[in-house]
Amino acid sequence: MTRAGTPFPEYHLDFDSVKNTFSKVRIAIDQCSYGQAVDLASATICQIQQLVLATVLNHRAYARGMQGKFDEAIDDAQRVINYQPTIAMGYLQLGNLYRMQGKQSRAIDTFETGLRCVSTDNSQYTLMIEGKEAATKQNETRVDFLAKLPLEIVDDIIALLSQEHKSACVDVSTVWRRNVLRCSKAWVALTGDDGTGDDPLSNLLPFIAPHVEHLTVNTSSDYVWQRYLFGMRNRKFSKIQSLDLRESAMKHITMDTITPVRHSLYRLGSTLTKVVLSHSMDQATITISDILFGLSSLKCLVYRAIRKLSDSMGNFPLPIPHDALVDVQLHAETITQDALVPLLQHCSKIRRLVIDGCDANVLDAIDANNCPNLTILGYNTFTMSTPGLDQSDIGPGYSGLEKFFTMNRGDRQSVIAILSLIRRNMATLKEIYTNTSARECNDLLATYADLRLEKIEKLVFLSYDATVIQPLLLSSISSSVTLSHLSVSVSYDVPELVNILLGIPRLASLSLSNIWNAAAPAKLVELFETYAMDNQSTRAFTSIRLRHCASVTDDVLVALSQIHSLKNIVLIGLRNVSANGIDSFFRSLSGKSTTYISLGELDIITDDRITTLSDVKSLRCIHMDGLSYMTNQGIITMVDQIPLLSSLTLDTCSLITESAIQYAKRKVRNVIVNTL
């Protein structure tokens, strides 16, 4: 069956165009002009080759168009024209493809080009005339469906468009312009990012600024910057809640313009609750005291400076304490205790504090006097993400510091500062993430022997030190009844770790990375077998993550497979697990309630293993990373046989081609592919 305006191509090769050249070959031979005959014969061969290739490309273009793969089909049709610019078939194919897409103007242009380049004697010349007439008729009778839809649906459609497309829609017609500019949903978030030229949206600010709640300005154009500044100064952004000024925008601020910029910010004070400022090194600075002085409703401040924090603080103390600010992130070259304390004392309601670039003594100032309401602390977290505040964190009740995150791997003074902070807050801490080493600090074992995390729920630690940090943290959870999530990287004493876990209530989640202890396999088997037989615990063990653990063997997987409550499984880089071992593990999951599995860097995963995994009908999400021996057939089998699969991620799986990816996308709602 064909679509309107897309007739089947002719399935034969038309050699009429080469007969004239070929006929001259015989004449040249009869005249003993053998050199000319060779040249004419060679030209005929080239014509035949191009004609055959163009005809086959034409058929493929048609087939791709019927599949809806228009970009690929148009490429093929354009190649047909390049090979045979005086034959009608390429122009017919390209024009019909544009018609199928509703691009009648492009179709008309294509047919007109063909009519100029193709001889009127060509058998398909009249088809190009008919194609042009049909495209012209459709172009003249087109309907503006947007103008006929209910406004609520129009608003939903416009809100889904990118900023670039919204800007383009403004120029379509008067109706479209009116609909786009009045649509408040479309302009809740606005980014002024001009790239290499002026931002066209800046000229629309008088119309769209009243809708904007979240504004990001990242423009290098002084004209665009002035347009946004004018809008702020004249209170055009009447609903604005958050403002993010990136480095490109901040570079416009000079000693001559600091005062107008401050005043523009203050004009937003009645609604603005979040400010993000990213300074570069060589510019005049809007200080922290400037911001707090004029924005009394500010709840969240993110301040990045490539300089000392002391150079960006401004004048403290301010006359009136700031009671609205609850969330502060400071990133600077150096943060000292002397620079930070005035801010903490001025903003006593802070619940979340993230500070990167700190001296070790800064943690000594994080106490009940300076931070009486602090709940979440990130200290030298750098690239690590620190969780934000939720409603329970900013409610009226306060129980003390609950979450602490650090990637600090400093000297002895830093380790002491971190351990001291943990001990001061050990009665309230519920979540800790630490990447800390303490070589040559053996005396600290006795100093912090009393460390006990009474309310800890989640503990994540990585330490290359086997003598201090790990023993202290393991000892701190030895009597815990609240710990449910534990993540350990580079553990040197797996037997001690397992013994502690066997002595406390069963975890809900366990993550082990880079475990290679010789005694580990037997202890892990003991742990998982105990978890499998534990019918008394009210907490189900639902999540396991094993990453680059040489201590994980087939026996460990056998013990793990006996736990029926597992829902989330991550297996990455397990070099001592065999193909039979992973196959048996997959078979054991059949009939259980596992919904998520992630497999990475496992050369034992082949199409046969994927076939076994496909019997786990409960799976909803699958993540595969660096599986070098899995092919298209494995992917096709998996998406065909797992009925509930709704999310599939493929990272650097080198044998998976585009055809299998497209097949998966037709079967699975969310498919993500990363090739690097």
mmCIF file with all atom_site columns, all heavy atoms in Angstrom, residues 598-615:
data_model
loop_
_atom_site.group_PDB
_atom_site.id
_atom_site.type_symbol
_atom_site.label_atom_id
_atom_site.label_alt_id
_atom_site.label_comp_id
_atom_site.label_asym_id
_atom_site.label_entity_id
_atom_site.label_seq_id
_atom_site.pdbx_PDB_ins_code
_atom_site.Cartn_x
_atom_site.Cartn_y
_atom_site.Cartn_z
_atom_site.occupancy
_atom_site.B_iso_or_equiv
_atom_site.pdbx_formal_charge
_atom_site.auth_seq_id
_atom_site.auth_comp_id
_atom_site.auth_asym_id
_atom_site.auth_atom_id
_atom_site.pdbx_PDB_model_num
ATOM 1   N N   . SER A 1 598 ? 22.254 -4.080  36.754 1.00 0.00 ? 598 SER A N   1
ATOM 2   C CA  . SER A 1 598 ? 23.295 -3.367  36.028 1.00 0.00 ? 598 SER A CA  1
ATOM 3   C C   . SER A 1 598 ? 24.497 -4.288  35.885 1.00 0.00 ? 598 SER A C   1
ATOM 4   O O   . SER A 1 598 ? 24.983 -4.846  36.870 1.00 0.00 ? 598 SER A O   1
ATOM 5   C CB  . SER A 1 598 ? 23.698 -2.083  36.769 1.00 0.00 ? 598 SER A CB  1
ATOM 6   O OG  . SER A 1 598 ? 24.753 -1.427  36.096 1.00 0.00 ? 598 SER A OG  1
ATOM 7   N N   . LEU A 1 599 ? 24.957 -4.457  34.648 1.00 0.00 ? 599 LEU A N   1
ATOM 8   C CA  . LEU A 1 599 ? 26.092 -5.331  34.354 1.00 0.00 ? 599 LEU A CA  1
ATOM 9   C C   . LEU A 1 599 ? 27.153 -4.516  33.629 1.00 0.00 ? 599 LEU A C   1
ATOM 10  O O   . LEU A 1 599 ? 26.850 -3.832  32.652 1.00 0.00 ? 599 LEU A O   1
ATOM 11  C CB  . LEU A 1 599 ? 25.651 -6.506  33.483 1.00 0.00 ? 599 LEU A CB  1
ATOM 12  C CG  . LEU A 1 599 ? 24.491 -7.360  34.013 1.00 0.00 ? 599 LEU A CG  1
ATOM 13  C CD1 . LEU A 1 599 ? 24.013 -8.329  32.953 1.00 0.00 ? 599 LEU A CD1 1
ATOM 14  C CD2 . LEU A 1 599 ? 24.910 -8.101  35.278 1.00 0.00 ? 599 LEU A CD2 1
ATOM 15  N N   . GLY A 1 600 ? 28.408 -4.597  34.091 1.00 0.00 ? 600 GLY A N   1
ATOM 16  C CA  . GLY A 1 600 ? 29.462 -3.807  33.463 1.00 0.00 ? 600 GLY A CA  1
ATOM 17  C C   . GLY A 1 600 ? 30.807 -4.498  33.477 1.00 0.00 ? 600 GLY A C   1
ATOM 18  O O   . GLY A 1 600 ? 31.145 -5.213  34.433 1.00 0.00 ? 600 GLY A O   1
ATOM 19  N N   . GLU A 1 601 ? 31.563 -4.308  32.404 1.00 0.00 ? 601 GLU A N   1
ATOM 20  C CA  . GLU A 1 601 ? 32.944 -4.781  32.310 1.00 0.00 ? 601 GLU A CA  1
ATOM 21  C C   . GLU A 1 601 ? 33.050 -6.273  32.620 1.00 0.00 ? 601 GLU A C   1
ATOM 22  O O   . GLU A 1 601 ? 33.911 -6.717  33.373 1.00 0.00 ? 601 GLU A O   1
ATOM 23  C CB  . GLU A 1 601 ? 33.838 -3.970  33.246 1.00 0.00 ? 601 GLU A CB  1
ATOM 24  C CG  . GLU A 1 601 ? 33.811 -2.472  32.968 1.00 0.00 ? 601 GLU A CG  1
ATOM 25  C CD  . GLU A 1 601 ? 34.568 -1.677  34.003 1.00 0.00 ? 601 GLU A CD  1
ATOM 26  O OE1 . GLU A 1 601 ? 35.645 -2.135  34.423 1.00 0.00 ? 601 GLU A OE1 1
ATOM 27  O OE2 . GLU A 1 601 ? 34.073 -0.611  34.402 1.00 0.00 ? 601 GLU A OE2 1
ATOM 28  N N   . LEU A 1 602 ? 32.146 -7.042  32.026 1.00 0.00 ? 602 LEU A N   1
ATOM 29  C CA  . LEU A 1 602 ? 32.117 -8.489  32.229 1.00 0.00 ? 602 LEU A CA  1
ATOM 30  C C   . LEU A 1 602 ? 32.215 -9.170  30.865 1.00 0.00 ? 602 LEU A C   1
ATOM 31  O O   . LEU A 1 602 ? 31.231 -9.264  30.128 1.00 0.00 ? 602 LEU A O   1
ATOM 32  C CB  . LEU A 1 602 ? 30.824 -8.910  32.938 1.00 0.00 ? 602 LEU A CB  1
ATOM 33  C CG  . LEU A 1 602 ? 30.634 -8.415  34.378 1.00 0.00 ? 602 LEU A CG  1
ATOM 34  C CD1 . LEU A 1 602 ? 29.205 -8.641  34.838 1.00 0.00 ? 602 LEU A CD1 1
ATOM 35  C CD2 . LEU A 1 602 ? 31.616 -9.123  35.318 1.00 0.00 ? 602 LEU A CD2 1
ATOM 36  N N   . ASP A 1 603 ? 33.413 -9.669  30.532 1.00 0.00 ? 603 ASP A N   1
ATOM 37  C CA  . ASP A 1 603 ? 33.593 -10.323 29.236 1.00 0.00 ? 603 ASP A CA  1
ATOM 38  C C   . ASP A 1 603 ? 32.857 -11.651 29.153 1.00 0.00 ? 603 ASP A C   1
ATOM 39  O O   . ASP A 1 603 ? 32.696 -12.201 28.054 1.00 0.00 ? 603 ASP A O   1
ATOM 40  C CB  . ASP A 1 603 ? 35.088 -10.540 28.973 1.00 0.00 ? 603 ASP A CB  1
ATOM 41  C CG  . ASP A 1 603 ? 35.816 -9.233  28.684 1.00 0.00 ? 603 ASP A CG  1
ATOM 42  O OD1 . ASP A 1 603 ? 35.129 -8.224  28.416 1.00 0.00 ? 603 ASP A OD1 1
ATOM 43  O OD2 . ASP A 1 603 ? 37.059 -9.214  28.740 1.00 0.00 ? 603 ASP A OD2 1
ATOM 44  N N   . ILE A 1 604 ? 32.413 -12.177 30.285 1.00 0.00 ? 604 ILE A N   1
ATOM 45  C CA  . ILE A 1 604 ? 31.677 -13.440 30.273 1.00 0.00 ? 604 ILE A CA  1
ATOM 46  C C   . ILE A 1 604 ? 30.228 -13.251 29.824 1.00 0.00 ? 604 ILE A C   1
ATOM 47  O O   . ILE A 1 604 ? 29.530 -14.233 29.570 1.00 0.00 ? 604 ILE A O   1
ATOM 48  C CB  . ILE A 1 604 ? 31.690 -14.094 31.675 1.00 0.00 ? 604 ILE A CB  1
ATOM 49  C CG1 . ILE A 1 604 ? 31.115 -13.121 32.714 1.00 0.00 ? 604 ILE A CG1 1
ATOM 50  C CG2 . ILE A 1 604 ? 33.086 -14.541 32.060 1.00 0.00 ? 604 ILE A CG2 1
ATOM 51  C CD1 . ILE A 1 604 ? 31.010 -13.705 34.109 1.00 0.00 ? 604 ILE A CD1 1
ATOM 52  N N   . ILE A 1 605 ? 29.791 -12.000 29.706 1.00 0.00 ? 605 ILE A N   1
ATOM 53  C CA  . ILE A 1 605 ? 28.416 -11.746 29.267 1.00 0.00 ? 605 ILE A CA  1
ATOM 54  C C   . ILE A 1 605 ? 28.365 -11.809 27.745 1.00 0.00 ? 605 ILE A C   1
ATOM 55  O O   . ILE A 1 605 ? 28.858 -10.918 27.051 1.00 0.00 ? 605 ILE A O   1
ATOM 56  C CB  . ILE A 1 605 ? 27.910 -10.380 29.761 1.00 0.00 ? 605 ILE A CB  1
ATOM 57  C CG1 . ILE A 1 605 ? 27.932 -10.318 31.285 1.00 0.00 ? 605 ILE A CG1 1
ATOM 58  C CG2 . ILE A 1 605 ? 26.498 -10.118 29.245 1.00 0.00 ? 605 ILE A CG2 1
ATOM 59  C CD1 . ILE A 1 605 ? 26.994 -11.277 31.963 1.00 0.00 ? 605 ILE A CD1 1
ATOM 60  N N   . THR A 1 606 ? 27.775 -12.876 27.222 1.00 0.00 ? 606 THR A N   1
ATOM 61  C CA  . THR A 1 606 ? 27.576 -13.063 25.789 1.00 0.00 ? 606 THR A CA  1
ATOM 62  C C   . THR A 1 606 ? 26.077 -13.145 25.516 1.00 0.00 ? 606 THR A C   1
ATOM 63  O O   . THR A 1 606 ? 25.253 -13.037 26.434 1.00 0.00 ? 606 THR A O   1
ATOM 64  C CB  . THR A 1 606 ? 28.263 -14.349 25.318 1.00 0.00 ? 606 THR A CB  1
ATOM 65  O OG1 . THR A 1 606 ? 27.650 -15.464 25.994 1.00 0.00 ? 606 THR A OG1 1
ATOM 66  C CG2 . THR A 1 606 ? 29.753 -14.318 25.628 1.00 0.00 ? 606 THR A CG2 1
ATOM 67  N N   . ASP A 1 607 ? 25.728 -13.374 24.267 1.00 0.00 ? 607 ASP A N   1
ATOM 68  C CA  . ASP A 1 607 ? 24.308 -13.492 23.919 1.00 0.00 ? 607 ASP A CA  1
ATOM 69  C C   . ASP A 1 607 ? 23.641 -14.647 24.663 1.00 0.00 ? 607 ASP A C   1
ATOM 70  O O   . ASP A 1 607 ? 22.463 -14.570 25.021 1.00 0.00 ? 607 ASP A O   1
ATOM 71  C CB  . ASP A 1 607 ? 24.155 -13.686 22.408 1.00 0.00 ? 607 ASP A CB  1
ATOM 72  C CG  . ASP A 1 607 ? 24.508 -12.429 21.637 1.00 0.00 ? 607 ASP A CG  1
ATOM 73  O OD1 . ASP A 1 607 ? 24.603 -11.361 22.268 1.00 0.00 ? 607 ASP A OD1 1
ATOM 74  O OD2 . ASP A 1 607 ? 24.684 -12.510 20.407 1.00 0.00 ? 607 ASP A OD2 1
ATOM 75  N N   . ASP A 1 608 ? 24.405 -15.728 24.912 1.00 0.00 ? 608 ASP A N   1
ATOM 76  C CA  . ASP A 1 608 ? 23.831 -16.854 25.656 1.00 0.00 ? 608 ASP A CA  1
ATOM 77  C C   . ASP A 1 608 ? 23.473 -16.447 27.076 1.00 0.00 ? 608 ASP A C   1
ATOM 78  O O   . ASP A 1 608 ? 22.421 -16.852 27.605 1.00 0.00 ? 608 ASP A O   1
ATOM 79  C CB  . ASP A 1 608 ? 24.827 -18.025 25.686 1.00 0.00 ? 608 ASP A CB  1
ATOM 80  C CG  . ASP A 1 608 ? 25.000 -18.676 24.321 1.00 0.00 ? 608 ASP A CG  1
ATOM 81  O OD1 . ASP A 1 608 ? 24.094 -18.497 23.472 1.00 0.00 ? 608 ASP A OD1 1
ATOM 82  O OD2 . ASP A 1 608 ? 26.025 -19.355 24.109 1.00 0.00 ? 608 ASP A OD2 1
ATOM 83  N N   . ARG A 1 609 ? 24.339 -15.660 27.717 1.00 0.00 ? 609 ARG A N   1
ATOM 84  C CA  . ARG A 1 609 ? 24.032 -15.205 29.080 1.00 0.00 ? 609 ARG A CA  1
ATOM 85  C C   . ARG A 1 609 ? 22.808 -14.272 29.061 1.00 0.00 ? 609 ARG A C   1
ATOM 86  O O   . ARG A 1 609 ? 21.972 -14.315 29.970 1.00 0.00 ? 609 ARG A O   1
ATOM 87  C CB  . ARG A 1 609 ? 25.224 -14.436 29.672 1.00 0.00 ? 609 ARG A CB  1
ATOM 88  C CG  . ARG A 1 609 ? 26.582 -15.109 29.648 1.00 0.00 ? 609 ARG A CG  1
ATOM 89  C CD  . ARG A 1 609 ? 26.689 -16.277 30.604 1.00 0.00 ? 609 ARG A CD  1
ATOM 90  N NE  . ARG A 1 609 ? 26.208 -17.515 30.035 1.00 0.00 ? 609 ARG A NE  1
ATOM 91  C CZ  . ARG A 1 609 ? 26.874 -18.243 29.121 1.00 0.00 ? 609 ARG A CZ  1
ATOM 92  N NH1 . ARG A 1 609 ? 28.022 -17.843 28.642 1.00 0.00 ? 609 ARG A NH1 1
ATOM 93  N NH2 . ARG A 1 609 ? 26.369 -19.380 28.694 1.00 0.00 ? 609 ARG A NH2 1
ATOM 94  N N   . ILE A 1 610 ? 22.710 -13.428 28.033 1.00 0.00 ? 610 ILE A N   1
ATOM 95  C CA  . ILE A 1 610 ? 21.578 -12.516 27.928 1.00 0.00 ? 610 ILE A CA  1
ATOM 96  C C   . ILE A 1 610 ? 20.289 -13.293 27.725 1.00 0.00 ? 610 ILE A C   1
ATOM 97  O O   . ILE A 1 610 ? 19.228 -12.922 28.245 1.00 0.00 ? 610 ILE A O   1
ATOM 98  C CB  . ILE A 1 610 ? 21.803 -11.520 26.773 1.00 0.00 ? 610 ILE A CB  1
ATOM 99  C CG1 . ILE A 1 610 ? 23.020 -10.634 27.062 1.00 0.00 ? 610 ILE A CG1 1
ATOM 100 C CG2 . ILE A 1 610 ? 20.568 -10.648 26.571 1.00 0.00 ? 610 ILE A CG2 1
ATOM 101 C CD1 . ILE A 1 610 ? 22.930 -9.821  28.323 1.00 0.00 ? 610 ILE A CD1 1
ATOM 102 N N   . THR A 1 611 ? 20.350 -14.395 26.988 1.00 0.00 ? 611 THR A N   1
ATOM 103 C CA  . THR A 1 611 ? 19.166 -15.245 26.806 1.00 0.00 ? 611 THR A CA  1
ATOM 104 C C   . THR A 1 611 ? 18.689 -15.783 28.146 1.00 0.00 ? 611 THR A C   1
ATOM 105 O O   . THR A 1 611 ? 17.483 -15.808 28.433 1.00 0.00 ? 611 THR A O   1
ATOM 106 C CB  . THR A 1 611 ? 19.489 -16.403 25.852 1.00 0.00 ? 611 THR A CB  1
ATOM 107 O OG1 . THR A 1 611 ? 19.856 -15.870 24.576 1.00 0.00 ? 611 THR A OG1 1
ATOM 108 C CG2 . THR A 1 611 ? 18.280 -17.319 25.684 1.00 0.00 ? 611 THR A CG2 1
ATOM 109 N N   . THR A 1 612 ? 19.641 -16.200 28.988 1.00 0.00 ? 612 THR A N   1
ATOM 110 C CA  . THR A 1 612 ? 19.268 -16.672 30.328 1.00 0.00 ? 612 THR A CA  1
ATOM 111 C C   . THR A 1 612 ? 18.657 -15.544 31.147 1.00 0.00 ? 612 THR A C   1
ATOM 112 O O   . THR A 1 612 ? 17.637 -15.724 31.823 1.00 0.00 ? 612 THR A O   1
ATOM 113 C CB  . THR A 1 612 ? 20.504 -17.236 31.052 1.00 0.00 ? 612 THR A CB  1
ATOM 114 O OG1 . THR A 1 612 ? 21.106 -18.250 30.260 1.00 0.00 ? 612 THR A OG1 1
ATOM 115 C CG2 . THR A 1 612 ? 20.118 -17.809 32.406 1.00 0.00 ? 612 THR A CG2 1
ATOM 116 N N   . LEU A 1 613 ? 19.270 -14.345 31.099 1.00 0.00 ? 613 LEU A N   1
ATOM 117 C CA  . LEU A 1 613 ? 18.749 -13.199 31.837 1.00 0.00 ? 613 LEU A CA  1
ATOM 118 C C   . LEU A 1 613 ? 17.331 -12.844 31.385 1.00 0.00 ? 613 LEU A C   1
ATOM 119 O O   . LEU A 1 613 ? 16.527 -12.347 32.185 1.00 0.00 ? 613 LEU A O   1
ATOM 120 C CB  . LEU A 1 613 ? 19.682 -12.006 31.644 1.00 0.00 ? 613 LEU A CB  1
ATOM 121 C CG  . LEU A 1 613 ? 19.298 -10.700 32.350 1.00 0.00 ? 613 LEU A CG  1
ATOM 122 C CD1 . LEU A 1 613 ? 19.363 -10.876 33.866 1.00 0.00 ? 613 LEU A CD1 1
ATOM 123 C CD2 . LEU A 1 613 ? 20.211 -9.553  31.916 1.00 0.00 ? 613 LEU A CD2 1
ATOM 124 N N   . SER A 1 614 ? 17.025 -13.115 30.133 1.00 0.00 ? 614 SER A N   1
ATOM 125 C CA  . SER A 1 614 ? 15.714 -12.749 29.582 1.00 0.00 ? 614 SER A CA  1
ATOM 126 C C   . SER A 1 614 ? 14.574 -13.543 30.202 1.00 0.00 ? 614 SER A C   1
ATOM 127 O O   . SER A 1 614 ? 13.403 -13.215 29.996 1.00 0.00 ? 614 SER A O   1
ATOM 128 C CB  . SER A 1 614 ? 15.718 -12.941 28.060 1.00 0.00 ? 614 SER A CB  1
ATOM 129 O OG  . SER A 1 614 ? 16.681 -12.102 27.452 1.00 0.00 ? 614 SER A OG  1
ATOM 130 N N   . ASP A 1 615 ? 14.897 -14.578 30.968 1.00 0.00 ? 615 ASP A N   1
ATOM 131 C CA  . ASP A 1 615 ? 13.857 -15.331 31.675 1.00 0.00 ? 615 ASP A CA  1
ATOM 132 C C   . ASP A 1 615 ? 13.436 -14.655 32.976 1.00 0.00 ? 615 ASP A C   1
ATOM 133 O O   . ASP A 1 615 ? 12.504 -15.115 33.644 1.00 0.00 ? 615 ASP A O   1
ATOM 134 C CB  . ASP A 1 615 ? 14.351 -16.752 31.977 1.00 0.00 ? 615 ASP A CB  1
ATOM 135 C CG  . ASP A 1 615 ? 14.425 -17.611 30.721 1.00 0.00 ? 615 ASP A CG  1
ATOM 136 O OD1 . ASP A 1 615 ? 13.654 -17.337 29.778 1.00 0.00 ? 615 ASP A OD1 1
ATOM 137 O OD2 . ASP A 1 615 ? 15.250 -18.547 30.681 1.00 0.00 ? 615 ASP A OD2 1
#
